[in-house]
Amino acid sequence: MPPPLPPLAACARSLAELLVVLSAARALPKGQQLHGFLLKGGHLPAIASSHALLSHHLLTFYARCALPELCLRAFLDLPAPPPAAAWSSLISSFAQNGLPAAAFDAFRRMLAAGVPATDRSIPSAAKAVAAAADSLRPPLAPHALHGLASKTPFAEDVFVGSAVLDMYAKCGNLLDARRLFDEMPERNVVSWSALIGGYADAGMHPAALWIFRSALEEAVEVNDFTVSCIVRVCATATLFDLGAQVHARSIKTALDASPFVGSSLVSLYSKCGLVDRAYRIFSAAPERNLGIWNAVLNASAQHGHTATAFERFMEMQNDGFRPNYITFLCLLTACSHAGLVDEGKRYFSLMKEYTIEPQAEHYAAMVDLLGRVGRITEALELIESMPMEPPESVWGALLMACRMFKDADTAAIAAKRLFQTGSRSSGAHMLLSSTYAAAGRHVDAALARKAMRDAGVRKETGLSWLEAAGEVHTFVSNCRRHPRSDEIYNVLEKVGEKMEGAGYVADTSAVVKDVAREEKCETLGYHSERLAIGLGLLIVPEGVPIRVMKNLRVCDDCHNAIKYLSKCTGRVVILRDNRRFHRFEDGLCSCGDFW
DNA sequence: ATAGGGTTAG
C-alpha cells in the first residue's frame, strides 16, 4: 500500500517551486501542463490560501515565455476583484520580462478598474516606460507617470522616487532626473546610482564623475552597482589613473568581487591597452557571469587575440553560460580583425541554433568582415538580404571596404544609402572623397568634399592623446600647443633618422592630390599620434608601454613608422585607434598589418 | 510570503 498522498494544500509550496524552476527554464509545455492540471481538477480554489502564490508564479512563467495573453488569462482566473497586490504582480511580471507594452497596458487597466497606483506598481510602470524609451510610440510620457506618482501618497517614497528618477535618466531626460534628485526628501544609494548611470549613458562623463565624488563626500555607502557604473565611465573615457584609483578603492571595500564590477574593470584595462591586466582580473574573479565572460571575450577580440577569443567561447559554454547577442558580436569582431571569413560565417549561422535573431549590428560586423578581405559584392548581397532597414553602421562598413579596395562605384552607392539614413558623419564624406581620389577620379573627389561643405558637415579633427600621471595630453597634427613641443619635435627627428637608417621610407601615396589645404598640411609627417608618442618617449619611464589613443583610424604610413620606432627605441607602443588595438614591439605590430 | 527601484559585457 503506497502512503496516502498529502492534501493538495500541503503541496502548494512544492507546486510553486516547480513553477519557478519551469519559469527559469522557460519550459512552456511542462508549465502549461501544470497550469491545466490546476485548472481541470478545480484544484486552485481548493487551495485558496495558496491561490495567489501559485497565480503569481504562473504570471511570471507566462511573462518569461513572452506570452502576455496567457499571463492575463491566469490573472483573470483569480477570484474577482483582483487586489492591488495581484495587479502589481502582473505588472512587474511584464516589466521584468521585456514586455513593457503589456506592463503598461496592465497598469492602465488597473487604474481603469479603480485600483489606485501604489508604491509597488508605480516602480514597475516606470520600468516599463524606461524600457520603451527607444520605441517610436512610448506608452506614456515620463512626465505623465511622474505627475501621476506625485498625486499618490507615495510621492515622497524613496523607492518610487528612485524608479521615476531612473526612468527620466533612461529616457535621456537628465535635466528632469537631476531636478527630481535635488528635490527628493530622501535619497539612497539607488537614487545616486541611477543618476550616475544616466550621466554615464548620456556620455556626460564629467557630470557622472562629479556626482560620484559628491556621493563619496556625503558618505553614501556606494555599492557594486555604483562602482561598476563609474568604472564604465573611466573605461569609456579611457581614464586609466582614475579607473585604477576606483579599482584600488573597490578592493578595500571588497566590491571588486562583484562580477559586475569585474566586467567593467576588464573592459577598463582592455580599453586602456593593458590587456594582460584585463586577463588577470578575469582569472582572479571569484564569481563569473555572462557579462564578465563577454567582457574578456571582447578584450581578446579587440586586441587581436583571435585564438584566445575562440577558446573563451568554448570555455564559457563548458561553464554553463548561454551566449547572447553580445557574445556573437564579440566573436564576429574577432573574426573581422583576423580576416577569418569562414569562421565568421559559421558563428553567424550558429546564432540561429541558439535562437538569437541577428541584429543590424551583427550584419554590420559581417559586412565589415567580408569587406576587409575584399569580398565587396558578397557584402552588398548580404545587405540586400537584411530583414531590417540597414542602418548607418552597415553602409559605413561597406564604405570602408570600398576605400580599402578602391571600389569607387560601390562607394557611391554605399554613401548615397548612408546619407539617406540621415547620417551627418564627416567620416563617410571623407571616405567617399578619398575613394574617388584613390581611384584617380579627382573631380568626383573634389565634388564629394564640396557636398560635405554644402551639407554643413565639418571634418572630424584627428586627435591623439596620452595619459600620464593623471594628466591627459591631447595633440592634433603638426600642433605646437604642448609646452614641451620643441623637445617632442627634437626627439621625433632624432628617432626619425635612426628609423630611416633602419630602412623606413615615408609613404607619400597616402597624400591625396586635389585635397583641401588643411588636409595637405596634416599629411606632411607629424600626425597627432606621432606627437603623442614623442611625448611618451620623453615622460613615460623606460620599460613601461607608451599608451596612445586616437579618435580616427591610424594611417598606413604612421602604422609603418611606429613599427620602426618600436624597433629603434626598444619601446612598446600600444595604440588604440577607432577600430582596435595595435601593440608595437621590436618592429612588429600585433595586428599583423591587417586592420 | 505572492508585488517595488539602480549594474556589467557592444
Side-chain angles (χ1 to χ4, degrees), chain A residues 491-558:
Chain A
V491 74
L492 285 176
E493 202 171 320
K494 235 180 269 163
V495 174
E497 283 166 17
K498 275 199 215 166
M499 284 158 50
E500 279 167 17
Y504 165 69
V505 182
D507 173 15
T508 49
S509 73
V511 182
V512 172
K513 276 178 241 159
D514 294 34
V515 295
R517 197 167 48 84
E518 79 268 7
E519 201 194 356
K520 240 184 225 166
C521 288
E522 288 174 17
T523 55
L524 287 179
Y526 288 111
H527 272 171
S528 58
E529 56 268 51
R530 298 211 207 174
L531 298 176
I533 293 170
L535 180 65
L537 289 171
L538 297 173
I539 66 174
V540 177
E542 203 74 43
V544 177
I546 299 170
R547 296 179 297 110
V548 170
M549 313 289 160
K550 180 176 167 87
N551 65 339
L552 301 178
R553 188 176 184 272
V554 61
C555 77
D556 292 306
D557 183 42
C558 283

Side-chain angles (χ1 to χ4, degrees), chain A residues 67-284:
Chain A
L67 292 167
E69 301 82 8
L70 290 179
C71 204
L72 193 59
R73 202 196 295 165
F75 172 79
L76 293 172
D77 284 340
L78 283 164
W87 283 105
S88 301
S89 197
L90 181 69
I91 298 164
S92 78
S93 295
F94 288 138
Q96 286 174 18
N97 291 289
L99 297 165
F104 183 68
D105 183 48
F107 186 66
R108 209 170 37 81
R109 285 177 196 231
M110 178 188 79
L111 297 178
V115 176
T118 65
D119 55 341
R120 308 284 169 150
S121 54
I122 298 168
S124 289
K127 191 185 175 108
V129 175
D134 299 330
S135 73
L136 292 175
R137 276 166 47 95
L140 181 71
H143 282 123
L145 186 65
H146 186 193
L148 192 149
S150 43
K151 290 191 194 78
T152 68
F154 311 102
E156 306 207 322
D157 181 276
V158 68
F159 271 66
V160 170
S162 299
V164 173
L165 164 55
D166 184 58
M167 170 186 71
Y168 277 136
K170 287 225 166 67
C171 294
N173 204 336
L174 273 311
L175 287 176
D176 286 307
R178 182 57 192 269
R179 187 180 309 144
L180 178 56
F181 179 83
D182 289 337
E183 290 170 356
M184 284 169 80
E186 184 194 343
R187 291 189 279 261
N188 63 14
V189 65
V190 177
S191 336
W192 286 90
S193 302
L195 188 61
I196 293 171
Y199 282 133
D201 284 340
M204 299 167 73
H205 299 150
L209 295 169
W210 196 79
I211 296 293
F212 179 67
R213 195 155 300 173
S214 312
L216 296 180
E217 278 165 12
E218 295 201 14
V220 177
E221 266 204 48
V222 297
N223 59 18
D224 53 341
F225 282 70
T226 333
V227 172
S228 64
C229 268
I230 210 68
V231 175
R232 176 162 60 104
V233 171
C234 297
T236 310
T238 61
L239 301 171
F240 172 75
D241 283 344
L242 186 62
Q245 277 174 40
V246 177
H247 181 193
R249 211 191 160 89
S250 76
I251 293 172
K252 281 184 204 144
T253 50
L255 293 176
D256 64 322
S258 152
F260 289 98
V261 174
S263 314
S264 47
L265 285 171
V266 168
S267 163
L268 167 75
Y269 289 122
S270 169
K271 286 203 168 93
C272 289
L274 300 175
V275 69
D276 295 340
R277 202 177 290 200
Y279 288 168
R280 282 203 297 277
I281 299 277
F282 175 77
S283 310

